[in-house]
């Protein structure tokens, strides 16, 4: 038996789902046309009017929206409702440029609660459970989005926010939460603290955890599950679309179900903008058909994932995507080869003796890119003999090079020397000045 929060919506026959998407798409395009002058101009330039958009097959007639459109209309220029109807504002801090600002009406908040409830419900939690939310509270959507979902399913919700790991550990031991929400890297920071302070898994009551906001691998899942004694679920989303709750894992753990009745997904070739076949990774693109305040059309996320073919054994009819492996703009190009930090994470977690903390330093020396992987040793490995460490360094080196297909430097660093993440981990330090 698979847990499903809203069977009517989540197991709707596909034909009915397509009809609903078509209706909602046509309605949304008209709302945008009537209320967002910038988007109306964009649609006019693309030669489309609301009359041209009748079914989901007309989606590709619409132009893409990109982050720059949000920046050009900073802060509220793409809102499709007057400010009197906006009840919440969030923002995501990019590493470059201005923040991306997003808004929600009361109806959008209800929608967010619904999709987050589906997400948490898929992990089997509900009334009677206690939710520990350790995503950051604030402009970031993780904390308040998690909070909303947890309250919507009727769980007792602890708004712990991130940081102060000692206090997190006290809450875990004293309040006995049954589920945890935080970034996968913070989950490991918490696990490390518990181990160092002699707190055993039997002191905790965690059953499940919902980890996202950054890419993480299957090896990382196993590590988190083992060290926190829970079943780990992936949770995906982005502020521009709604925040966490855009796609979620079910108990089959075979891809993430997209809340397609609200967010129409396309996977495109980032160079041509054309759809790629199912099973092929490409850039994920969303159209928000029910959002009121900020209904984005064909928003290019720069995230990389593939649509999985076929239906899931859990009974949900929504399409699934593979675990997002990274962003097209996170992807490093080292001497012409595409490198995702997640590939290195996967290799390191398979090797013994290393902690799951690493950093990639990219430099350009004499016009040649050099990638150095800083790998943190566990305390145990650190106290081994030099020869053992040398062997270890060599085998990590070999494993990374054979996975990436390029030469890298590997530096083993002392335990605890890589900064611990509280939110999203900073994996890459790019020192190349090639702008
Ligand atoms: O990170 C929303 C969120 C909060 C999702 C909590 C899940 C849990 P932003 O700050 O706008 O929103 O960042 C969105 O984070 O485009 C992806 O690149 C990345 N991301 C989010 N979830 C995942 C995931 C939140 N499960 C950006 N796997 C997205 C991989 C993820 N990457």
């Amino acid at each position: 038996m698979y847990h499903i929060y809203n069977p009517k919506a989540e197991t709707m026959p596909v034909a009915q789902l397509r009809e609903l998407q078509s209706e909602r798409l046509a309605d949304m395009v008209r709302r945008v046309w009537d209320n967002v002058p910038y988007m109306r101009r964009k649609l006019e330039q693309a030669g489309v009017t609301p009359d041209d958009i009748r079914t989901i097959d007309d989606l590709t007639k619409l132009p893409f929206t990109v982050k720059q459109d949000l920046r050009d209309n900073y802060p509220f220029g793409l809102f499709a409702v007057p400010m009197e109807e906006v009840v919440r504002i969030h923002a995501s801090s990019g590493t470059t440029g201005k923040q991306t600002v997003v808004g929600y009406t009361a109806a959008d908040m209800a929608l967010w609660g619904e999709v987050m409830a589906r997400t948490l419900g898929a992990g089997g939690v509900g009334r009677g459970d206690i939710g520990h939310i350790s995503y950051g509270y604030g402009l970031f959507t993780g904390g308040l989005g998690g909070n909303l979902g947890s309250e919507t399913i009727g769980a007792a919700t602890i708004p712990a926010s991130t940081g102060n790991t000692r206090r997190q550990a006290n809450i875990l031991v004293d309040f006995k939460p049954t589920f945890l929400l935080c970034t996968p890297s913070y989950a490991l920071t918490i696990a490390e603290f518990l181990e160092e302070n002699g707190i055993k898994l039997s002191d905790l009551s965690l059953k499940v955890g919902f980890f996202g906001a950054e890419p993480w691998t299957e090896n990382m899942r196993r590590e988190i599950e083992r060290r926190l004694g829970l079943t780990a679920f992936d949770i995906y989303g982005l502020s521009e679309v709604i925040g966490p709750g855009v796609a979620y894992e079910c108990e089959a753990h075979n891809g993430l179900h997209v809340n397609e009745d609200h967010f129409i997904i396309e996977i495109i070739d980032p160079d041509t903008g054309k759809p790629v076949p199912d099973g092929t990774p490409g850039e994920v693109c969303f159209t928000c058909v029910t959002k009121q305040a900020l209904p984005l059309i064909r928003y290019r996320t720069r995230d990389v994932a593939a649509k999985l073919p076929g239906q899931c054994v859990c009974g949900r009819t929504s399409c699934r995507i593979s675990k997002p492996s990274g962003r097209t703009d996170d992807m490093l190009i080292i001497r012409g080869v595409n490198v995702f930090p997640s590939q290195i994470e996967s290799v390191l977690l398979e090797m013994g003796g290393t902690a799951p903390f690493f950093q990639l330093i990219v430099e350009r020396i004499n016009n040649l890119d050099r990638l150095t992987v800083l790998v943190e040793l566990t305390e145990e490995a650190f106290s081994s003999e030099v020869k053992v460490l040398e062997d270890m360094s060599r085998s990590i080196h070999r494993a990374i090079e054979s996975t990436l297909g390029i030469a890298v430097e590997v530096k083993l660093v002392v335990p605890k020397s890589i900064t611990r993440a509280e939110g999203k981990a900073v994996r890459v330090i790019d020192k190349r000045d090639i702008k």
Side-chain angles (χ1 to χ4, degrees), residues 11 107 120 150 210 217 278 282:
T11 63
L120 304 182
S150 176
F210 301 87
T217 56
D278 286 0

Side-chain angles (χ1 to χ4, degrees), residues 91-107:
S92 85
S93 55
T95 41
T96 51
K98 284 198 185 118
Q99 309 203 86
T100 307
V101 182
V102 300
Y104 305 73
T105 64

Side-chain angles (χ1 to χ4, degrees), residues 67 91-93 100 112 116 135 140-143 146 181-184 210-216 234-247 256 299 301-304 323-327 329-330 424:
K67 208 173 185 92
S92 85
S93 55
T100 307
W112 197 10
M116 275 304 292
Y135 286 114
F140 173 54
T141 51
L181 271 73
C182 61
T183 59
F210 301 87
F211 307 109
E214 61 185 4
W216 54 303
D234 197 350
I235 156 173
Y236 167 82
L238 61 160
S239 326
E240 296 90 319
V241 174
I242 200 148
V246 175
L256 287 86
Y299 183 68
T301 64
R302 298 187 176 176
D303 290 327
V304 178
K323 257 171 118 37
S325 57
R327 298 171 53 78
D329 49 4
D330 255 10
K424 304 186 192 227

Side-chain angles (χ1 to χ4, degrees), residues 327-400:
R327 298 171 53 78
T328 50
D329 49 4
D330 255 10
M331 188 179 75
L332 289 166
I333 305 184
I334 311 283
R335 299 191 291 275
V337 175
N338 297 348
V339 172
F340 284 105
S342 56
Q343 292 174 291
I344 292 166
E345 176 186 296
S346 202
V347 171
L348 292 179
L349 286 168
E350 267 169 27
M351 322 273 318
T354 63
F357 301 103
F358 67 96
Q359 219 155 34
L360 309 180
I361 316 263
V362 195
E363 294 156 298
R364 182 155 285 189
I365 296 166
N366 298 331
N367 288 319
L368 212 63
D369 295 332
R370 186 166 74 183
L371 174 64
T372 307
V373 185
L374 304 184
V375 182
E376 195 178 290
L377 292 168
T378 58
E379 292 285 354
E380 215 182 348
F382 184 56
S383 53
S384 338
E385 287 166 28
V386 174
K387 160 120 191 17
V388 176
L389 289 177
E390 277 173 0
D391 285 349
M392 202 164 127
S393 169
R394 254 194 304 276
S395 58
I396 294 175
H397 198 188
R398 255 199 313 272
I400 296 181

